[in-house]
Amino acid sequence: MTRALVPHSSHWGAFEAEVTDGTVVAIHPYRHDPDPSPLLGNIVDSLRHRARITQPMIRAGWLDRGPGPDTRRGAEPFVPVSWPTAIERLARELRRVYERHGAASVYGGSYGWSSAGRFHHAQSQLHRFLNCLGGYVSGEHTYSNGAQSVVMPHVVGSMREFLDRATAWSVLERHTELFVCFGGIPIKNTMVSPGGASRHPARDHLRRARERGAEFVLVSPLRDDLPGFVSAEWLAITPGADVAVMLALAHTLVAERLHDRAFLERYCVGWERFEAYLLGTTDGCPKTPEWAERLSEIPAASIRALARRMAAKRTLINVNYSLQRVEHGEQAPWMVVTLAAMLGQIGLPGGGFGQGYGSLGYIGRAPSRIGPPTLPQGRNPVTDFIPFPRVADMLLAPGETFDFNGRRLTYPDIRLVYWCGGNPFHHHQDLARLQRALARMETIVVHDSFWTPMARHADVVLPSTMMLERNDIGGSPNDGCLIAMRQAVEPWAQARNDFSIFRDLAGALGVGDRFTEGRDERAWLRHLYEEWRSRVADDGGATPSFDEFWETGFLEMEGADADLVLLERFRADPDKAPLGTPSGRIEIFSATIDGFKYDDCPGHPTWLEPMEWLGAPLAQRFPLHLIANNPTARLHSQLDVGAFSQSSKVQGREPIRLHPADAAARGIRSGDVVRVFNERGSCLAGAVVTPAVRPRVVQLSTGAWYDPLDPADPNAMCVHGNPNVLTFDRGTSKLAQGCSGQHTLVEVERWKGLLPPVRAYDLPSMEERPGL
Ligand code: PGD
């Protein structure tokens, strides 16, 4: 018997894989990680799960009828083919599309998190490959924080320079007296960092802050958005009403003269414009706590009391990404900055604002001076792009114009969609609409390790290796550990590395050398490491040789600035260290945004009523507000087949949490299967009745693989519990066009019919065709 411990990494943590006789039998968290993620529990049984794609597959209809728009995607059988056949057919199709329609007809945005390694980063591999062919239409920003990442540069300047350098957790732990958490700080989200994290310190910092006497206020419809041990005061807000509460806090500060006028004058622009709105001078509506109570169901007295406490203590106001993944998502992050500016504590240890402490694990972990290695992607000569969440709009309406951040853009005419390392049937909204959009394509190509719903809707499906089946380097800009992600097991069946697939395709298309630069996997890893090593050396650091690094597995680097305070230098001297905004100051009023004349994103933070919330007329028909947030038991839709994710299901369905009063009114008990529905679609889910969810709110996380009752019908019920059959597909506003998938209105009823089986992990139907 052979036994080995192999260093490796994932977006949810570094680990060692225990390998016995060529099989991964256990995962052991990195020994220095104080709080390893339970998501590690999804890895072992996923590696060899039946839902893995075993060999290249081509949709029968595409083989028989050739490329072209087709509504039968997702319902037709696949034909298993050899690698040479797959490469030859796909190379021919790529040549046809590039020659006949040009590079601007290929959508290669390929949004998705794929896996943690820097070399086998699926999206980078795809972009590098498509750039060798002449480029592609790209995507910008993210589904995560699209609204924030567009509005914040107008308000405080570059995200990279400022927000990614959030005040360090260790500073908050020592200095913050009052944490006011809009959307909480859910520990489940802090487990995940793009690129991985060798340590998960958030829980310990929160615990120590609490032990020191810090107080916590949770503004959220979900009580467990903060861990119980911080004993938070829970303000169980109406979803979508946070900006109203923030405005009322601001109103109280002004009414009671608790705001820091000197700070507003020295460090901000546009206070007077905003103040006139706040007090109702411009619209006749003072944003008082009584006004906010009607919208938010938070008592006016609680809002007033909180405003006074905030002014009296060293206060951190945190807003999570979830609050900007909604209609008008630009407003909450902007208003949080404004509120923090009114308190005058921005740039002080433990005070000011935070954005995303509870959204991703790297926030509050100081960046290393030298970022980890990255794969060069080459140059993309195509200038057409979309903000990622506008993908269905683009595919449905070529030639139509749309607004984005002060520009008027035109949707290109896409013929071929290439996806590598993402799952739009997980991340996109209104899946019936997405299917209509995909049906217009001539060809869809997907690389994935699993038969995800996106793979099932493709024409050419190529099996990728998973982590642990290849060698890579793991690291992230805010983590001080570089990891030799060594291959632990052989690739499953005929799976190949994305790099190898693109190498062969590039070879067939005559650009092989350009793509590989003459390197194989090992040579690339050495090259990327040496390039990184010389950057570290230029900065005065010393690192071991590649061979030593590879042998050691985990390379701990010098500590980053553990005392980082956001905007400290700006506070010390705003003239010497101005912000990257037009004024160099915090823009409470942005003349730039105002100049865009967007009705859905005016020049200062504003309460804008959502179309779908409990205050809308639609709530008469669909009286429950669904929160479709990120899941606890997996990262997005990844490894949904894994043991930890499976252990969370109820009768095989994704759990939906609802309040006892709402459950009782509908005759629903924990363990029942329910149907969740609205005008756009319906799904089954498994009920969990709990007072941790406020009344008239239900919570169904994303990530259960879409499983339509009838795969030929885009409007079919999903029997597994994917909430994106229910969510709407509208941008946050004309400014950012971000994802607004977090909220929608629904009704829930007990499912009384025969329970359809979950077939999400079964193989699609296959048609053997010898000789291919
Ligand atoms: P994942 O499930 O991570 O979701 O959306 P994203 O598409 O990133 O998909 C990654 C896919 O890559 C998986 O299918 C995995 O198997 C595959 N993969 C992993 N490694 C490799 C590899 O090496 N090669 C290849 N070829 N494939 C690989 C996430 C997105 O969803 C995000 S970031 C957010 S924050 C959004 N959140 C919400 C939300 O709050 N509410 C709703 N309703 N919808 C959301 N969608 C968004």
Side-chain angles (χ1 to χ4, degrees):
M1 189 172 90
T2 60
R3 181 180 174 272
L5 285 177
V6 182
H8 215 79
S9 183
S10 65
H11 292 305
W12 47 95
F15 61 88
E16 286 176 307
E18 184 180 335
V19 183
T20 304
D21 292 336
T23 303
V24 177
V25 294
I27 299 292
H28 303 284
Y30 183 44
R31 60 186 178 283
H32 295 300
D33 189 344
D35 188 16
S37 166
L39 302 191
L40 293 174
N42 281 331
I43 296 174
V44 172
D45 44 354
S46 296
L47 275 163
R48 299 296 179 248
H49 195 275
R50 69 178 192 282
R52 293 281 312 259
I53 305 170
T54 51
Q55 75 178 91
M57 303 274 172
I58 299 184
R59 182 170 63 88
W62 192 85
L63 264 182
D64 297 339
R65 300 184 292 274
D70 203 331
T71 52
R72 284 162 284 191
R73 288 195 176 95
E76 280 195 335
F78 283 93
V79 178
V81 299
S82 69
W83 272 110
T85 301
I87 296 291
E88 190 268 317
R89 298 286 172 116
L90 180 52
R92 200 194 308 164
E93 172 60 357
L94 284 164
R95 189 174 289 120
R96 179 190 76 85
V97 173
Y98 273 88
E99 281 175 9
R100 194 172 299 173
H101 303 292
S105 70
V106 174
Y107 181 58
S110 184
Y111 184 81
W113 270 56
S114 63
S115 296
R118 311 304 306 190
F119 174 62
H120 290 295
H121 183 245
Q123 201 187 38
S124 305
Q125 290 284 352
L126 172 65
H127 292 171
R128 186 178 164 81
F129 167 68
L130 294 179
N131 282 337
C132 291
L133 300 186
Y136 59 94
V137 173
S138 57
E140 280 195 3
H141 300 284
T142 64
Y143 277 77
S144 279
N145 65 352
Q148 178 201 18
S149 63
V150 174
V151 73
M152 275 304 111
H154 293 289
V155 179
V156 288
S158 142
M159 291 278 286
R160 280 264 163 273
E161 227 172 301
F162 295 106
L163 296 180
D164 288 358
R165 298 173 57 81
T167 298
W169 269 116
S170 51
V171 175
L172 304 183
E173 174 192 316
R174 280 178 282 133
H175 296 280
T176 305
E177 294 170 327
L178 176 63
F179 288 82
V180 179
C181 303
F182 288 91
I185 302 182
I187 295 292
K188 69 178 171 72
N189 295 345
T190 68
M191 291 290 158
V192 170
S193 278
S198 60
R199 290 157 174 82
H200 295 94
R203 193 193 310 261
D204 284 352
H205 287 297
L206 284 173
R207 199 187 300 277
R208 287 195 289 264
R210 177 66 196 152
E211 282 163 7
R212 185 185 42 79
E215 295 167 12
F216 290 79
V217 176
L218 167 66
V219 188
S220 171
L222 310 178
R223 190 176 61 198
D224 40 18
D225 273 345
L226 268 177
F229 62 75
V230 301
S231 310
E233 176 190 353
W234 181 27
L235 301 181
I237 192 167
T238 303
D242 298 78
V243 173
V245 171
M246 293 175 198
L247 284 164
L249 290 167
H251 191 278
T252 304
L253 294 178
V254 173
E256 303 192 7
R257 297 188 179 287
L258 295 172
H259 60 313
D260 188 336
R261 292 206 67 96
F263 185 94
L264 292 168
E265 223 157 84
R266 179 146 195 242
Y267 297 98
C268 305
V269 293
W271 165 251
E272 291 72 19
R273 291 285 291 263
F274 173 74
E275 189 185 32
Y277 164 75
L278 186 67
L279 301 179
T281 321
T282 43
D283 65 354
C285 171
K287 312 302 174 299
T288 61
E290 285 70 22
W291 165 81
E293 177 176 335
R294 285 193 292 278
L295 300 167
S296 66
E297 296 178 22
I298 306 282
S302 303
I303 298 175
R304 273 201 182 89
L306 178 58
R308 290 175 195 137
R309 273 167 83 195
M310 288 166 73
K313 288 181 184 287
R314 180 62 56 87
T315 300
L316 180 94
I317 315 170
N318 182 50
V319 59
N320 267 350
Y321 293 176
S322 50
L323 271 80
Q324 53 86 64
R325 216 177 295 131
V326 297
E327 288 176 80
H328 312 304
E330 296 79 5
Q331 302 306 315
W334 196 353
M335 187 55 214
V336 158
V337 175
T338 304
L339 196 50
M342 293 174 71
L343 294 179
Q345 299 180 17
I346 292 173
L348 292 180
F353 66 91
Q355 303 208 348
Y357 281 102
S359 307
L360 285 170
Y362 82 86
I363 309 285
R365 302 195 64 208
S368 323
R369 282 212 301 278
I370 307 296
T374 47
L375 179 72
Q377 298 184 7
R379 205 182 68 81
N380 182 3
V382 177
T383 50
D384 297 81
F385 73 94
I386 52 164
F388 276 119
R390 300 281 44 85
V391 59
D393 291 358
M394 169 180 71
L395 303 183
L396 285 165
E400 250 181 43
T401 57
F402 68 104
D403 289 298
F404 174 64
N405 201 14
R407 298 169 65 181
R408 199 146 183 87
L409 302 170
T410 304
Y411 289 123
D413 190 358
I414 301 295
R415 310 296 173 117
L416 183 145
V417 165
Y418 207 130
W419 228 285
C420 183
N423 179 9
F425 279 81
H426 158 67
H427 63 238
H428 198 66
Q429 287 60 60
D430 195 347
L431 294 183
R433 185 167 187 265
L434 177 69
Q435 288 176 78
R436 288 198 297 278
L438 292 174
R440 301 188 74 256
M441 294 301 97
E442 294 176 8
T443 295
I444 300 176
V445 189
V446 167
H447 298 197
D448 207 299
S449 317
F450 292 91
W451 277 110
T452 65
M454 186 57 187
R456 287 169 194 270
H457 283 80
D459 302 315
V460 180
V461 180
L462 302 178
S464 304
T465 48
M466 275 181 75
M467 61 161 126
L468 288 165
E469 295 174 346
R470 58 198 183 204
N471 294 300
D472 213 331
I473 297 176
S476 108
N478 293 55
D479 189 68
C481 187
L482 203 68
I483 299 151
M485 297 169 63
R486 297 211 296 256
Q487 181 175 346
V489 289
E490 289 302 312
W492 176 241
Q494 295 184 32
R496 285 192 189 175
N497 298 338
D498 295 306
F499 168 73
S500 314
I501 301 172
F502 290 130
R503 180 198 57 205
D504 291 357
L505 276 171
L509 288 160
V511 291
D513 289 344
R514 220 163 121 202
F515 179 72
T516 63
E517 294 179 29
R519 296 187 191 97
D520 60 9
E521 179 195 71
R522 186 52 83 99
W524 266 108
L525 296 182
R526 191 178 288 277
H527 170 75
L528 294 177
Y529 182 85
E530 291 302 344
E531 190 272 338
W532 171 80
R533 195 174 178 217
S534 71
R535 280 191 287 133
V536 175
D538 290 347
D539 190 54
T543 45
S545 70
F546 176 76
D547 293 322
E548 276 173 78
F549 158 66
W550 199 251
E551 187 54 38
T552 318
F554 298 97
L555 171 58
E556 293 286 349
M557 288 165 302
E558 263 171 44
D561 181 4
D563 288 330
L564 193 67
V565 173
L566 178 70
L567 299 179
E568 191 176 33
R569 283 178 50 237
F570 169 67
R571 185 183 184 100
D573 192 335
D575 295 321
K576 276 208 189 116
L579 303 183
T581 54
S583 62
R585 301 291 193 264
I586 295 170
E587 301 222 345
I588 292 175
F589 174 83
S590 161
T592 309
I593 295 180
D594 191 56
F596 297 157
K597 303 269 177 270
Y598 293 151
D599 49 352
D600 53 6
C601 190
H604 56 68
T606 302
W607 161 252
L608 298 163
E609 193 172 327
M611 278 157 79
E612 288 208 22
W613 75 310
L614 291 173
L618 192 65
Q620 313 263 316
R621 285 172 54 213
F622 301 109
L624 297 172
H625 189 117
L626 171 69
I627 298 191
N629 59 356
N630 280 317
T632 305
R634 63 189 164 259
L635 166 62
H636 307 138
S637 69
Q638 295 200 26
L639 311 191
D640 188 27
V641 298
F644 184 56
S645 181
Q646 288 301 307
S647 71
S648 71
K649 309 265 175 181
V650 176
Q651 293 200 47
R653 326 285 144 161
E654 193 62 17
I656 183 168
R657 301 197 304 166
L658 67 169
H659 188 270
D662 295 319
R666 291 165 178 79
I668 294 168
R669 283 193 266 173
S670 280
D672 286 346
V673 169
V674 297
R675 188 174 82 100
V676 192
F677 60 98
N678 63 17
E679 278 172 331
R680 280 173 294 272
S682 62
C683 67
L684 298 183
V688 175
V689 179
T690 167
V693 175
R694 59 149 269 171
R696 299 174 68 204
V697 167
V698 293
Q699 179 243 321
L700 173 63
S701 292
T702 58
W705 292 4
Y706 172 64
D707 190 355
L709 193 55
D710 174 3
D713 175 8
N715 296 308
M717 177 172 78
C718 168
V719 304
H720 190 192
N722 182 329
N724 276 325
V725 298
L726 303 158
T727 52
F728 50 84
D729 184 8
R730 285 193 299 273
T732 50
S733 80
K734 296 188 186 83
L735 184 82
Q737 299 284 8
C739 161
S740 48
Q742 183 88 184
H743 288 175
T744 190
L745 290 174
V746 297
E747 178 55 292
V748 176
E749 65 183 12
R750 195 155 68 80
W751 176 256
K752 297 191 191 103
L754 268 178
L755 200 51
V758 173
R759 293 172 305 184
Y761 317 125
D762 295 348
L763 301 181
S765 58
M766 308 272 174
E767 211 175 275
E768 296 292 336
R769 304 229 183 135
L772 281 174

